[in-house]
Amino acid sequence: MMELQNLIGGEMTNPKSGAWLENVEPATGQVFSRIPRSNAADVDAAVQAAHAAFPGWSSSPLEERAACLRRWGALIARHSEALIAAESQDNGKPVSLARAVDIPRAQKNLEFFAGAVEHFASEAHIPGGAEFIHYTHRKPIGVVGCISPWNLPLYLFTWKIAPALAAGNCVVAKPSEVTPLTAWMLSQWAAEAGFPAGVFNVVHGLGHEAGQALVEHQGVKAVSFTGGTQTGAHIARTTAGMFKKLSLELGGKNPAIVFADCNFDKAVATTIRSSFANQGQICLCSSRILIEDSIYETFRDALVAKAKRIVPGDPSDASTKMGALVSAPHRDKVLKYIGIAKEQGARILCGGVAAPAPNDRCTSGYFVQPTILEGLGPDSSINQEEIFGPVITLQRFSSEADGIALANDSAYGLAATIWTTDAAKAHRVASQVESGIAWINCWLVRDLRTPFGGVKSSGVGREGGVEALRFFTEPQSVCIPTR
Ligand code: NDP
């Protein structure tokens, strides 16, 4: 059986406690590897190693840091077939998705922040005729913690560590214990990419053990976290009195607002994708589909017809479009929500049950049918709580104001999609929707320079481009006389 290790101070190491966790393949329900069950002692060793490496790394020329990131990106490209297979095996996502999205994007994250840091500039304030000039010196923070979730494992892992390292910090990262494989593979190539020992460390383990120890560690000056809202709130409470910098990218309950004047076919096709991509396990997935009255029935019927054609398959099969949910507890959570929806009087238009195993290999896998529900009011827990699976609800609205109000009737505010061919209306609605991201007549189109994050219970702070480099640096205002 494959055995993963931590990367601490440039060495691949076993957990100090000698305890291990089993790692399960979601498509088969079988254990295929084991990972360190790290504790506070492992985290402390990683933080110490990172501190020791910090003076050298933070003062290294930024071209050198950028070159390390680019070489790492090239290593991802060289090993892409192995990474695609590993991501699919570890997460249950189709290989086609890992090939099209996860692995190329992980490479791109490293290359992007190599370039971004080379173009990163800070401000100077030079009042005309004044006797003093002021400039902002953006310094690396020190040792930072990066905690990432299981849904886009390498994609979101690199989205955090790349800007942190580019800005001159040393990193202790904790990938989700549910999907540790590709982060472990990447950690094995850190030295080959040129990172000095201790600059980049990975500690595997449980969130409430290794994750908690990382968040609590006095030597960790900033925490960048992507995960659930409850965990984010817990981390915010834990760090509140410690004055750490905190970036929180949390959950969503994203509306797709479909107006009667939309491009119908494009709106249906993209809503299917935005609802069910990665088995609905993307924080940006649409989960509340809001449809204008006059097209409600035709749009619903078109959506249901397409959803019925999606058959969950073996993720390792190149033709599979929908794979397995990430774990048995997560599958059970999704099915429990469907049960609650039934109790609340929802009509199940398609799905609503576990999907049959696609083949003998997958008889114990975690497959769920794409599910569309209607008949629940906006206050229903199904319309308020994040399910994070292939389950969407349909609601109708009668006017622009009504649609906006329904979209905003949520504790969350991560992403919204707006479907209309009226450009003025599109801008109007986008400006009134409470979300960090609004996609008009498209979904999941990303430019890595744009700010990424949510409002309300979807998080605090922004990632992406300059925002990420600002987060991972501490600005010092310097003032000097001109004579
Ligand atoms: P969790 O909040 O359960 O976990 C996220 C990470 O935090 C994991 O590495 C987890 O470790 C770790 N963790 C858990 N408890 C603690 C703790 N006390 N201290 C420190 N770390 C801890 O989220 P999931 O992994 O279940 O991911 C799904 C969630 O992520 C969804 O809510 C989704 O919306 C959100 N998400 C948000 C995105 C965004 O950009 N806004 C993007 C992608 C996902 P372990 O796995 O070992 O428990």
Side-chain angles (χ1 to χ4, degrees):
M1 185 177 315
M2 206 187 313
E3 200 162 83
L4 279 54
Q5 289 177 302
N6 293 327
L7 173 65
I8 297 178
E11 304 287 332
M12 301 305 291
T13 59
N14 289 338
K16 289 188 188 298
S17 65
W20 297 81
L21 297 162
E22 290 183 334
N23 189 24
V24 173
E25 177 175 4
T28 64
Q30 305 303 315
V31 175
F32 74 103
S33 64
R34 61 178 204 160
I35 71 164
R37 181 172 177 171
S38 309
N39 59 24
D42 302 285
V43 169
D44 186 54
V47 175
Q48 302 299 341
H51 269 284
F54 182 68
W57 182 247
S58 57
S59 59
S60 62
L62 63 85
E63 292 81 2
E64 219 168 281
R65 288 184 243 145
C68 289
L69 287 169
R70 288 197 175 96
R71 281 193 294 267
W72 227 9
L75 283 159
I76 290 183
R78 193 191 310 159
H79 297 282
S80 68
E81 285 306 317
L83 286 165
I84 289 162
E87 204 70 301
S88 171
Q89 183 179 27
D90 210 13
N91 172 275
K93 67 177 65 208
V95 280
S96 58
L97 187 65
R99 182 181 304 285
V101 178
D102 295 73
I103 303 309
R105 172 59 191 278
Q107 179 192 349
K108 181 94 184 141
N109 284 340
L110 299 180
E111 287 167 0
F112 171 80
F113 280 108
V117 77
E118 288 172 334
H119 295 271
F120 188 43
S122 64
E123 312 81 31
H125 300 93
I126 310 170
E131 291 177 7
F132 297 88
I133 60 172
H134 309 257
Y135 65 90
T136 307
H137 181 189
R138 288 203 162 264
K139 304 178 187 181
I141 301 171
V143 177
V144 301
C146 295
I147 302 176
S148 50
W150 47 257
N151 61 332
L152 301 163
L154 193 65
Y155 175 137
L156 290 175
F157 187 75
T158 49
W159 182 235
K160 292 190 180 303
I161 62 173
L165 292 165
N169 302 286
C170 291
V171 169
V172 179
K174 198 208 83 68
S176 171
E177 144 257 338
V178 183
T179 53
L181 194 50
T182 48
W184 168 71
M185 292 166 78
L186 190 69
S187 71
Q188 289 182 305
W189 309 321
E192 191 178 344
F195 292 100
V199 167
F200 172 68
N201 306 273
V202 183
V203 180
H204 295 279
L206 296 169
H208 65 272
E209 294 177 356
Q212 182 73 22
L214 182 58
V215 166
E216 283 175 353
H217 201 294
Q218 289 288 356
V220 174
K221 299 294 174 210
V223 175
S224 175
F225 170 83
T226 297
T229 294
Q230 281 187 354
T231 317
H234 173 77
I235 289 174
R237 280 192 297 273
T238 305
T239 55
M242 302 173 84
F243 308 113
K244 298 185 187 216
K245 275 187 112 173
L246 199 55
S247 167
L248 300 173
E249 299 295 337
L250 309 176
K253 191 74 186 174
N254 307 311
I257 313 169
V258 185
F259 287 98
D261 60 2
C262 67
N263 175 332
F264 189 90
D265 291 344
K266 194 173 169 202
V268 170
T270 309
T271 303
I272 284 287
R273 209 163 55 82
S274 72
S275 302
F276 300 122
N278 205 36
Q279 299 72 246
Q281 303 168 130
I282 302 179
C283 54
L284 305 164
C285 273
S286 313
S287 49
R288 294 181 296 138
I289 315 303
L290 317 178
I291 308 164
E292 192 163 5
D293 259 337
S294 61
I295 61 159
Y296 182 86
E297 280 78 14
T298 43
F299 195 86
R300 173 195 65 192
D301 294 349
L303 214 53
V304 170
K306 267 194 189 298
K308 280 184 173 166
R309 288 206 289 274
I310 304 173
V311 181
D314 185 337
S316 67
D317 182 335
S319 63
T320 292
K321 294 280 180 280
M322 179 181 263
L325 298 199
V326 76
S327 65
H330 190 60
R331 186 256 333 258
D332 296 345
K333 176 189 149 186
V334 170
L335 292 175
K336 189 170 151 214
Y337 267 114
I338 296 172
I340 294 170
K342 283 185 203 162
E343 283 165 19
Q344 291 181 355
R347 279 183 296 284
I348 297 183
L349 303 176
C350 65
V353 288
N359 57 28
D360 288 349
R361 189 183 93 86
C362 297
T363 45
S364 303
Y366 316 132
F367 299 90
V368 173
Q369 301 277 20
T371 299
I372 303 183
L373 308 168
E374 73 170 357
L376 295 174
D379 295 338
S380 142
S381 56
I382 305 301
N383 275 322
Q384 289 294 332
E385 294 171 22
E386 186 185 42
I387 300 175
F388 213 56
V391 179
I392 59 171
T393 63
L394 310 185
Q395 296 176 75
R396 59 204 305 159
F397 64 88
S398 53
S399 66
E400 189 178 314
D402 188 22
I404 294 167
L406 206 49
N408 290 340
D409 188 358
S410 169
Y412 294 103
L414 187 52
T417 51
I418 299 159
W419 292 95
T420 173
T421 49
D422 177 340
K425 180 159 75 182
H427 287 294
R428 232 173 19 241
V429 174
S431 72
Q432 291 175 74
V433 166
E434 295 161 359
S435 68
I437 301 157
W439 277 297
I440 297 167
N441 300 327
C442 61
W443 177 70
L444 207 63
V445 180
R446 293 278 297 122
D447 180 320
L448 304 191
R449 294 167 299 182
T450 57
F452 179 89
V455 300
K456 304 200 281 188
S457 296
S458 290
V460 180
R462 291 292 180 273
E463 297 187 312
V466 162
E467 300 284 344
L469 292 172
R470 288 205 175 123
F471 174 76
F472 283 116
T473 50
E474 198 67 81
Q476 180 188 37
S477 184
V478 182
C479 178
I480 185 169
T482 53
R483 43 184 169 258

